[in-house]
Amino acid sequence: MISARGLCKNYDDDGAVTQALISASFDIKPGEFVAVMGPSGSGKSTLLHILSFMDRPTSGSYSFSGKKMEDLSDSDLAHIRNKKMGFVFQAFNLLSRSSVYSNVEMPLIYSDAPVSKRKELVEKAVLAVGLSEKLNVEAGKLSGGQKQRVAIARALVNDPDIIFADEPTGNLDSRSGQKVMEILKKLNEEGKTIILVTHETYTAQFANRLIRLKDGEIELDGLILEHFTNAYDSK
């Protein structure tokens, strides 16, 4: 599904160049659950932005489902992002005065899904995160854990090939975070590819594979069970 070769990303601030990502190379197969970890400033967010077509690398190559990023226009990237990718963010990014239904429906408005199918798709996604009874409740009236579950439903509604989760439990208590991670794990077991950016030990342990970054470089890439205890030191 994903093939990255020599990905580099530099930021130029009035002539001062910062290397945020240095020669990152790896493959991710369909159905994997990958945790990306590392200290603050290690390049986690930069890598996520490139993999999710929100940014382009300075150099190197990146292919998603056989399509090379360098061959695609910004419009092409936006289309693939909406159709093939789902996103879950730390800050939920919900419209607080809109209903759960309206929040989850939003990606469908920008897709080619028939209007007649939207209700069915929204209800299916909300059912998957266990919030059917909250369908018509304003998002702002939900607990933090419920808001994140709505965000997962929104990420699911277009039936994406891959879900990018950026610190999805960062604003939650441990119990709510556990519930959110259990939902993501279940989705992975049902075949969804998950890429999780996190600094939390317990969330990373839901994944099967760990990619650890340090100073913009991959310092470890392997199975969680084999490498996790020696690899984690992000505090």
Side-chain angles (χ1 to χ4, degrees), residues 82 93-95 98-111 118-129 131-132 134-137 139 142 146-159:
N82 181 258
N93 291 358
L94 301 178
L95 299 176
S98 295
S99 67
V100 167
Y101 184 99
S102 296
N103 274 281
V104 175
E105 182 190 30
M106 194 170 300
L108 297 175
I109 297 172
Y110 302 99
S111 75
R118 288 182 188 174
K119 185 173 185 292
E120 177 187 343
L121 293 171
V122 170
E123 290 178 348
K124 180 182 177 181
V126 174
L127 177 64
V129 300
L131 284 177
S132 295
K134 302 292 185 181
L135 197 63
N136 297 308
V137 175
L142 302 177
Q146 290 171 334
K147 288 176 182 177
Q148 196 59 292
R149 287 156 66 187
V150 173
I152 294 173
R154 182 183 57 195
L156 282 176
V157 75
N158 269 338
D159 192 23

Side-chain angles (χ1 to χ4, degrees), residues 10-84:
N10 299 335
Y11 294 102
D12 190 336
D13 183 13
D14 292 330
V17 177
T18 300
Q19 292 181 296
L21 195 63
I22 304 170
S23 194
S25 298
F26 55 89
D27 296 318
I28 295 176
K29 298 177 181 178
E32 285 200 79
F33 192 155
V34 182
V36 180
M37 301 188 76
S40 178
S42 61
K44 301 188 302 295
S45 294
T46 298
L47 179 61
L48 183 72
H49 290 162
I50 292 172
L51 296 182
S52 60
F53 287 175
M54 292 184 181
D55 200 0
R56 293 180 183 266
T58 304
S59 61
S61 65
Y62 170 40
S63 296
F64 178 81
S65 295
K67 296 183 178 180
K68 293 184 177 181
M69 192 178 195
E70 57 264 36
D71 295 336
L72 301 172
S73 67
D74 289 347
S75 178
D76 292 332
L77 297 182
H79 178 75
I80 294 172
R81 190 164 57 240
N82 181 258
K83 191 174 181 63
K84 300 289 187 180

Side-chain angles (χ1 to χ4, degrees), residues 188-209:
N188 175 247
E189 291 170 349
E190 293 171 353
K192 293 295 182 188
T193 305
I194 311 284
I195 297 182
L196 165 74
V197 169
T198 184
H199 68 276
E200 297 170 324
T201 308
Y202 85 94
T203 58
Q205 289 176 325
F206 279 86
N208 306 115
R209 176 180 170 191

